[in-house]
Amino acid sequence: MASPATNITTQFEQQLVKSTTLVFHVNLFIYAAIALVALFRIPHLVALFGTPSEWYNGHFLRYSPVKQPKVSRSNTSNSARTLVGEDTHHDRKRRGGEKDVSEVEVKYPPHTAVVPRQLRTMLSLSRVRILDGYSIGQISILAMYFYALVYATFFKSNPFTDATRPGWVAISQFPLIFALAQKNNILGSLLGYGYERLNYVHRFAAKLVILAANLHAVYYLYRWTAAGTFTELVVRPKNAWGMVALIFMNIMYFFSTSFWRNKAYNVFLWTHSISMIVILPTTYLHQPSLLPYVLACVFLYGADRVMRLFKTRIATAIVIPLPGTDITHIEVPSLNAGWRPGQHVRLRILSRRMGWLGWTEVHPFTIASAPDSHDCLIVMCKQSGDWTKRLGLMSKERGYVDSESKVKVWVEGPYGGPGRMMFASFSAAVLICGGSGITFGLTMMQDLLAKDLKGESRVKYVELVWVTQDANSITPLIQLFTTLIQQSVYCPLRISVYYTKPLTSKLTFLPDPDAAAHLPITLHHNFTLTPGRPRIGRALDAAIMRAVSLGAGHKDSQGITGLAVGVCGPTGLADDVVRAVSAVDSARKDQVGGIEIHEETFGW
Ligand SMILES: Cc1cc2nc3c(=O)[nH]c(=O)nc-3n(C[C@H](O)[C@H](O)[C@H](O)COP(=O)(O)OP(=O)(O)OC[C@H]3O[C@@H](n4cnc5c(N)ncnc54)[C@H](O)[C@@H]3O)c2cc1C
């Protein structure tokens, strides 16, 4: 006859088997759902790789000699078609362009809508914000995940009588959480999203896991305390390691809250890294049968670190302050290619002037220049906290003398960006930027215009809307904006800048500073400066009108392929843009071939 102790062990083993099988099946369900979305996104991947430059851009930074666009002035080649039609030619003349009508070999990027026409209303609905910046689409994903874990925890089990189940649920989600946390994100690559876009799932999943781990532990702590065996049992190695893992999970949770992320990012970062290093081995020591999960996490973490090394370039950068602004301009002459517009790099300044520990900090910045252009890699850093202020100070101390403003930098990337959404494949683009989000607008705008000259863009019209607090902050960009408008020969560009703070000083860039009395100010043809909030609806209307009307020469024969909207800035601005897009009449959306949005916010 079996002893009571043997019976308990057998029962425990049976439960263990049940729990492992169940969490395995729940994981299968979760990964199958991810695979389904990845499958659905394959046409977008095919479309992306239909453009040759997309094969080698977006992965590694490099230097590439700049090739001039292949412009043929003769009419002999059959494959060369006129990029500029008669209408556009007249249009160009009207705008006072000086170039000859050129012929380039057109290689328009293939366009694949994010969803079929029938699902546009659903897509629009999924973008509506309901909770603290979260959209219905995001909440639905989190709700499904939540349900899957609730099912795994409670199916034929009660966490108050079976503590192993929540433990298994917790560990089973470790690999997913690790996969979502890496900068070189396997899931992101499969789905076509940057790591920062999936970060909300990482945060939510991690919270549920920590909750499950606590449920698992509380059961034992309660039982041991009630039986008076707490001090005896808690020191047993298996239990002690479990306690250490739990304590570090809770530390991780506490220091990951938005308070710490916003107020002391480094505290969040260090506690996260140290806790992770402690949690993995202690989890294994607590329960050696969890080794496969621990190894999966170690593999994901290790692979990411190796990829980061491959993506890192140590280079010399020129760091200068942008006069009249709180922005530091950094350019890296030895890098000019390898990124896609909208992507960011992680930057480390290797100089003692940033403080003794300054070199340990890595900060993300969107690349403000277009790839494969005469410009090199440029980032613009607005002073917001300690590190960016120190950077600003350093750039000012070093002055404008070229040799003194040079500094060694560690540039890692590129990461993120619009994924599989190709702005150049749409009929029109509206870029809406708030504050330092202008970096996103600059790179997108320059890339679209450069592609247009090479015959690689279907875009017939680009509108940039920039909302900034201080009107004078446009001073360093006026020259660039004006040049871009002049260069936008075949694809009209309109720039509308809105400033939200009342003028306290004269506008130094105006020939007659008192002209500010007459608002809005037209700084150049198609370039205005207006006080107040942006009129996003109006910008969308103008872009739709240009996308559906004729006059873009050869592009007209390609059909109407939608309006791309890119927004980069505070969450409130992104919310406004989503609302404005939702407010567009559905017949008008259909007429333009749908409106797709890419959102970029400087945080998570
Ligand atoms: C994807 C992305 C792209 C960005 N692009 C630009 C850009 O082009 N131009 C620009 O001026 N700013 C950009 N930012 C914001 C910039 O990274 C922060 O302003 C900068 O890191 C602040 O550091 P700090 O120590 O000076 O300020 P802090 O006071 O420490 O932080 C200010 C804010 O920045 C966040 N932050 C701080 N350190 C980091 C970090 N290492 N990683 C992520 N977030 C951090 C904090 O959560 C806080 O909300 C971007 C941020 C992200 C996430």
Side-chain angles (χ1 to χ4, degrees):
M1 215 175 102
S3 69
T6 322
N7 273 342
I8 290 171
T9 313
T10 319
Q11 205 184 350
F12 175 75
E13 275 168 4
Q14 276 170 0
Q15 264 178 358
L16 203 68
V17 171
K18 269 200 295 184
S19 293
T20 49
T21 315
L22 186 71
V23 294
F24 176 73
H25 284 126
V26 167
N27 263 345
L28 267 189
F29 170 77
I30 293 170
Y31 289 108
I34 294 172
L36 202 68
V37 180
L39 213 64
F40 177 75
R41 304 262 301 153
I42 284 181
H44 306 97
L45 184 68
V46 174
L48 183 71
F49 286 149
T51 307
S53 62
E54 302 301 344
W55 282 90
Y56 46 84
N57 276 344
H59 319 293
F60 300 100
L61 299 171
R62 60 177 199 280
Y63 183 82
S64 138
V66 179
K67 291 185 212 109
Q68 292 298 334
K70 194 175 142 194
V71 178
S72 148
R73 305 222 180 262
S74 72
N75 212 1
T76 48
S77 162
N78 283 340
S79 63
R81 284 179 283 178
T82 308
L83 177 67
V84 186
E86 273 307 298
D87 291 336
T88 314
H89 185 197
H90 291 310
D91 203 26
R92 180 180 62 80
K93 274 188 170 167
R94 204 161 22 86
R95 295 200 305 274
E98 284 167 11
K99 288 187 185 170
D100 292 342
V101 177
S102 309
E103 284 183 357
V104 297
E105 210 177 317
V106 291
K107 295 165 289 212
Y108 293 143
H111 177 79
T112 308
V114 69
V115 291
R117 189 171 165 272
Q118 298 75 7
L119 296 181
R120 269 184 208 145
T121 318
M122 244 181 82
L123 177 71
S124 186
L125 194 71
S126 75
R127 287 195 196 117
V128 174
R129 304 290 211 280
I130 44 172
L131 242 174
D132 197 21
Y134 287 98
S135 66
I136 290 185
Q138 288 174 318
I139 301 271
S140 310
I141 290 168
L142 298 185
M144 279 188 275
Y145 182 73
F146 178 70
Y147 177 74
L149 291 208
V150 166
Y151 174 80
T153 311
F154 292 98
F155 180 70
K156 291 194 179 168
S157 176
N158 178 350
F160 297 105
T161 53
D162 169 18
T164 54
R165 182 68 70 79
W168 277 101
V169 170
I171 187 70
S172 70
Q173 298 310 301
F174 269 36
L176 181 71
I177 292 171
F178 266 74
L180 290 167
Q182 309 312 322
K183 302 283 178 266
N184 297 286
N185 201 300
I186 295 174
L187 294 177
S189 307
L190 279 174
L191 299 171
Y193 296 112
Y195 73 93
E196 75 285 12
R197 306 272 311 275
L198 299 174
N199 193 265
Y200 74 98
V201 188
H202 163 79
R203 292 198 305 267
F204 184 74
K207 277 180 199 149
L208 292 186
V209 160
I210 292 172
L211 183 67
N214 277 289
L215 265 181
H216 170 69
V218 162
Y219 169 84
Y220 291 105
L221 297 182
Y222 173 77
R223 257 188 33 179
W224 297 342
T225 313
T229 53
F230 179 83
T231 43
E232 180 199 333
L233 293 177
V234 81
V235 291
R236 287 191 185 165
K238 172 179 150 42
N239 299 336
W241 289 125
M243 282 304 291
V244 175
L246 183 75
I247 289 168
F248 274 87
M249 276 192 210
N250 287 325
I251 289 178
M252 203 180 214
Y253 170 71
F254 178 73
F255 288 107
S256 304
T257 47
S258 56
F259 173 83
W260 291 101
R261 290 204 313 272
N262 292 329
K263 300 277 177 231
Y265 194 85
N266 285 330
V267 175
F268 151 73
L269 205 66
W270 281 104
T271 49
H272 227 66
S273 308
I274 294 169
S275 303
M276 187 210 64
I277 291 169
V278 175
I279 289 167
L280 287 183
T282 48
T283 303
Y284 164 70
L285 291 167
H286 170 60
Q287 183 62 264
S289 62
L290 304 181
L291 186 64
Y293 291 103
V294 173
L295 287 182
C297 297
V298 171
F299 170 76
L300 289 165
Y301 181 77
D304 177 57
R305 294 286 139 169
V306 172
M307 277 306 287
R308 284 191 196 192
L309 277 182
F310 280 118
K311 286 189 154 207
T312 297
R313 306 283 177 267
I314 306 230
T316 303
I318 299 167
V319 182
I320 46 170
L322 276 191
T325 69
D326 57 355
I327 291 175
T328 311
H329 178 277
I330 302 182
E331 52 183 67
V332 188
S334 59
L335 299 172
N336 75 339
W339 67 90
R340 295 183 64 215
Q343 287 194 297
H344 65 270
V345 287
R346 302 179 73 238
L347 192 75
R348 210 186 277 264
I349 305 282
L350 305 174
S351 164
R352 276 217 311 268
R353 289 180 180 236
M354 292 297 288
W356 282 103
L357 289 177
W359 62 273
T360 58
E361 291 191 35
V362 195
H363 291 261
F365 293 99
T366 305
I367 305 170
S369 47
D372 299 303
S373 70
H374 289 285
D375 277 336
C376 57
L377 186 148
I378 295 175
V379 294
M380 293 191 192
C381 316
K382 186 179 159 56
Q383 295 178 23
S384 60
D386 277 358
W387 190 85
T388 40
K389 281 185 184 145
R390 258 181 283 145
L391 180 68
L393 215 61
M394 184 184 88
S395 69
K396 281 179 191 142
E397 278 169 9
R398 291 189 163 221
Y400 300 93
V401 185
D402 200 37
S403 60
E404 284 187 4
S405 58
K406 284 185 179 159
V407 70
K408 277 264 176 269
V409 288
W410 165 300
V411 194
E412 182 199 314
Y415 294 117
R420 295 184 192 163
M421 181 173 168
M422 272 189 295
F423 276 66
S425 75
F426 288 79
S427 290
V430 175
L431 309 167
I432 299 160
C433 312
S436 50
I438 186 60
T439 47
F440 168 82
L442 286 176
T443 174
M444 277 289 175
M445 193 166 58
Q446 294 179 79
D447 184 67
L448 285 176
L449 297 182
K451 283 194 169 129
D452 192 61
L453 287 175
K454 290 189 271 181
E456 291 175 6
S457 166
R458 293 167 184 266
V459 178
K460 299 179 188 175
Y461 175 77
V462 180
E463 171 134 7
L464 175 86
V465 177
W466 182 25
V467 196
T468 175
Q469 291 186 344
D470 178 11
N472 273 310
S473 60
I474 69 165
T475 313
L477 294 175
I478 289 179
Q479 179 65 44
L480 176 64
F481 284 169
T482 313
T483 311
L484 287 174
I485 290 172
Q486 282 164 350
Q487 282 173 356
S488 61
V489 181
Y490 310 126
C491 167
L493 165 68
R494 187 181 158 71
I495 298 178
S496 314
V497 182
Y498 293 85
Y499 60 93
T500 50
K501 273 193 181 164
L503 291 179
T504 49
S505 58
K506 291 197 168 175
L507 297 177
T508 46
F509 49 82
L510 289 180
D512 169 14
D514 292 324
H518 311 288
L519 294 165
I521 303 163
T522 302
L523 294 162
H524 188 272
H525 167 73
N526 269 357
F527 179 11
T528 54
L529 176 69
T530 316
R533 307 290 307 159
R535 291 170 199 130
I536 300 166
R538 198 197 267 185
L540 296 176
D541 268 350
I544 294 175
M545 203 186 74
R546 298 300 288 252
V548 299
S549 56
L550 297 176
H554 188 256
K555 286 178 188 169
D556 289 338
S557 63
Q558 299 293 306
I560 300 164
T561 51
L563 169 65
V565 178
V567 50
C568 182
T571 322
L573 181 68
D575 291 352
D576 288 348
V577 171
V578 170
R579 258 194 299 276
V581 170
S582 303
V584 175
D585 185 54
S586 51
R588 202 128 167 78
K589 279 186 191 150
D590 286 343
Q591 195 187 13
V592 75
I595 305 181
E596 289 179 28
I597 309 179
H598 168 69
E599 289 175 46
E600 190 93 33
T601 43
F602 286 172
W604 39 75

